[in-house]
Amino acid sequence: MNVLVTGSCGQLGRSLAVLAEGCGKEFIYTGRKEDPESGVVALDITDVEAVRNIVKENDIDAIVNCAGYTDVERAESEEDKAFAVNAEAVGILASVAKESGATLIHISTDYVFDGRSSEPYGEDAEPAPLSAYGRSKFAGELAVLASGCRHIIIRSAWLYSRYGKNFVKTILEKTSSQSSIKVVEDQVGTPTFAGDLAEFIMYVIDNDMLDKDGIYNYTNEGVCSWYDLACEVCDLSGHLCDVLPCKTSDFPTGVERPAFSVLDKTKVKQTFGIDIPHWKDSLRFCMANMA
């Protein structure tokens, strides 16, 4: 099996590359820029001919789209750029997957919801994005569905890892150098360790479950606020810093974020027969393995 990975230099792409070593399948890693050291090939996913050529030349069976415009705040002023990557490029990947018979595994987000529910969101809940980022990601989902390609759309949330920039690494840095920090307590969801999400994707590929078309929610188990997560990071690190709760209104950013974005994972667990780790266990594992 030949697998094309986009966004290979991000948290999920790098986590996938670690798991894929020695798996017996051929992975082609792509990114915005070539990186010979890591074996990443440059690919402009907004260029349909470039995508078509690499899929055809490598006889691709599955495309894992880890690429995305993820700057939520900047997307408000650069909505066209967010849509170019999160929607239009996704449509290109989907159309090429349809042409070639490949399966597209596409990563989406909890930001497709407005966060006004009092219960975890199921896959059939009505999307109502609040932000430009959320609108662009929802448009990407619609593009996949409209293409008619074989697809597995995975909605995830609050991604972190040992790689790149993320909330966990930011809190580690701040608690190591400051006596106190404030973190919002009125935004509730579930963190997702990129390594766990990568393991799920590899499980789907390894077990030839690429025909299970649909939208699936995948985060770690459990529920917490950003404040709860920050407290756990601080406790595990042993840093002597006071983590203080505050409200979203204390830090106005111009972007409305979902206040409640817990995702119901019943469907993914039943369909694929998997267990999902609790967020505290995965956080502990990730932090123990950070360089």
Side-chain angles (χ1 to χ4, degrees), residues 11 159-171 290:
Q11 296 188 76
L159 201 68
Y160 72 91
S161 69
R162 59 183 293 190
Y163 308 113
K165 296 180 180 179
N166 57 69
F167 180 82
V168 169
K169 292 179 74 174
T170 296
I171 294 300
M290 280 186 172

Side-chain angles (χ1 to χ4, degrees), residues 10 148 248:
T248 298

Side-chain angles (χ1 to χ4, degrees), residues 205-258:
I205 293 170
D206 284 339
N207 290 277
D208 196 21
M209 303 175 88
L210 294 169
D211 60 343
K212 296 188 180 297
D213 279 23
I215 299 175
Y216 299 92
N217 295 334
Y218 187 101
T219 65
N220 283 117
E221 295 282 23
V223 177
C224 69
S225 67
W226 289 113
Y227 166 74
D228 297 326
L229 177 54
C231 287
E232 193 72 12
V233 171
C234 188
D235 289 345
L236 289 172
S237 69
H239 293 163
L240 300 177
C241 176
D242 289 330
V243 181
L244 307 173
C246 68
K247 302 297 183 183
T248 298
S249 58
D250 294 334
F251 292 97
T253 63
V255 180
E256 191 174 1
R257 292 171 165 83

Side-chain angles (χ1 to χ4, degrees), residues 43-73:
L43 175 65
D44 180 0
I45 59 174
T46 66
D47 183 338
V48 64
E49 287 304 320
V51 173
R52 184 177 286 126
N53 289 339
I54 198 169
V55 168
K56 184 177 180 180
E57 290 170 5
N58 293 279
D59 194 19
I60 296 299
D61 300 294
I63 302 170
V64 184
N65 182 33
C66 302
Y69 184 109
T70 58
D71 191 325
V72 176
E73 294 184 20

Side-chain angles (χ1 to χ4, degrees), residues 106-150:
H106 172 62
I107 310 303
S108 192
T109 175
D110 59 324
Y111 272 65
V112 300
F113 299 117
D114 61 16
R116 292 172 183 145
S117 175
S118 58
E119 298 180 354
Y121 285 95
E123 288 83 355
D124 58 352
E126 187 67 28
L130 300 172
S131 63
Y133 169 71
R135 290 190 294 273
S136 70
K137 293 296 287 185
F138 180 46
E141 291 186 6
L142 293 177
V144 174
L145 298 176
S147 74
C149 73
R150 289 172 54 181

Side-chain angles (χ1 to χ4, degrees), residues 9-26:
C9 296
Q11 296 188 76
L12 182 56
R14 294 177 69 177
S15 299
L16 269 172
V18 171
L19 291 175
E21 283 188 34
C23 72
K25 295 175 176 59
E26 185 68 27

